[in-house]
Amino acid sequence: MQSDLVIRALAALAQVHRLAAFRLLVQAGPEGMPAGALAQALAVPASSMSFHLAQLANAGLVTQRRHSRSIVYSADYAAMGGLMAYLMENCCGGEACVPAPSCTPQISEAKDVA
Amino acid sequence: MQSDLVIRALAALAQVHRLAAFRLLVQAGPEGMPAGALAQALAVPASSMSFHLAQLANAGLVTQRRHSRSIVYSADYAAMGGLMAYLMENCCGGEACVPAPSCTPQISEAKDVA
DNA sequence: TCCACATTTCTATATTTATAGAAATATGGA
DNA sequence: TCCATATTTCTATAAATATAGAAATGTGGA
C-alpha cells in the first residue's frame, strides 16, 4: 500500500457518515449491506450516501457488487489490514513491535464478494 | 477512544505532511524530534509545520514538551493503538479476529516523555 | 412496453482546510 | 539588557470537501 492510497483511505474514514458506514460494513462481515440500508441506518439522503460510498470505494476500503436492484457494499479487510500495517511500519525504529494486524474472516456463505 | 476523537485522528493523518511527520515520529521512538527538524526534513515552512503539528496534537496523536528553545514532539503510541482498536472493533461480527495491536516501546533513556 | 424501485450522477451552495508570509512569544547566551 | 534562535499565532487567500435536491441510469415485474 503506497502513501497516496493511504492518504485517501484515511481521508475516507475521517468523516462521520463514512466512518459509521465503514464500521457497519466491518461488523456486517463479507456479506455486506446494500447502499439503501446504509443510508437508512445512518439517516442520510441516498445521494449523500452514494457520494460517501464512492469515496470509500475509491480508497479501496470497500468493494461493491450488484445484487438485483441493490448495490451491496462490503468492507475490504485486506485493505484495512494494509492501512494498519502502513501506520505501524517501523514503529519504534523496528524494535519490539507487534506485527501488523489483519482480519481475515472465514468466508461462510458469501463467496461472491466481488 | 470515542468517535469524535477518532475522526480527528483520522483527519489529522489524512494529509501528506502530517502523515509523513507522524511516521517520522513513530520511527523516532519516544525520544521524539523537535518541530524545526521535522519542518526541515519535510521541506515545509515553520508556520505550516506548526499548523500541522497542532492538529496532530489536538487529535492526541502526538505529545509535545519543551526542551530548551526547541519544542520536541513524540508519537503517542497508546493513541495509535486506540485508533486501530476502534477501527477493528467487532470486526467480522466479533468472530476470528486478531486482537487490537499495540506498540509499547521499552522506554530506553527518554523517561521524560511528557 | 410501462412503471416502480434502488442507486448514481449532476448541480449549486455552504463549509472546512491548507498555505505561507508577517508579527508575536518564549528561551538562553553575551 | 540586547540579540539570535525556535516556534507559534495571526492573517488572508486558495483549494478541497460536504450537502442534498433534481435528473438520469439500470433492474425487474406486471
Side-chain angles (χ1 to χ4, degrees), chain A residues 30-32 63-68 72-74 107-114:
Chain A
E31 271 187 68
T63 56
Q64 65 204 120
R65 70 200 133 100
R66 182 176 277 279
H67 181 60
S68 179
V72 176
Y73 286 84
S74 319
I107 281 87
S108 45
E109 30 116 308
K111 292 196 67 176
D112 54 342
V113 181

Side-chain angles (χ1 to χ4, degrees), chain B:
Chain B
M1 201 177 213
Q2 53 241 48
S3 167
D4 177 63
L5 227 200
V6 170
I7 296 279
R8 265 186 292 158
L10 290 166
L13 292 172
Q15 205 281 339
V16 249
H17 298 321
R18 290 198 294 264
L19 181 59
F22 182 72
R23 273 163 53 90
L24 281 179
L25 291 177
V26 162
Q27 291 172 21
E31 271 187 66
M33 289 174 73
L38 287 167
Q40 188 168 16
L42 302 179
V44 162
S47 68
S48 297
M49 190 76 259
S50 181
F51 168 79
H52 291 307
L53 287 172
Q55 304 215 27
L56 286 170
N58 177 257
L61 289 168
V62 303
T63 56
Q64 66 204 116
R65 69 203 133 99
R66 183 175 277 280
H67 181 60
S68 179
R69 268 179 285 196
S70 298
I71 294 188
V72 176
Y73 285 84
S74 318
D76 185 319
Y77 295 97
M80 181 165 69
L83 175 60
M84 310 233 160
Y86 186 88
L87 290 176
M88 305 285 275
E89 194 176 281
N90 263 357
C91 179
C92 316
E95 297 292 319
C97 278
V98 179
S102 64
C103 178
T104 37
Q106 61 279 56
I107 281 88
S108 46
E109 31 118 308
K111 293 195 65 175
D112 54 344
V113 180

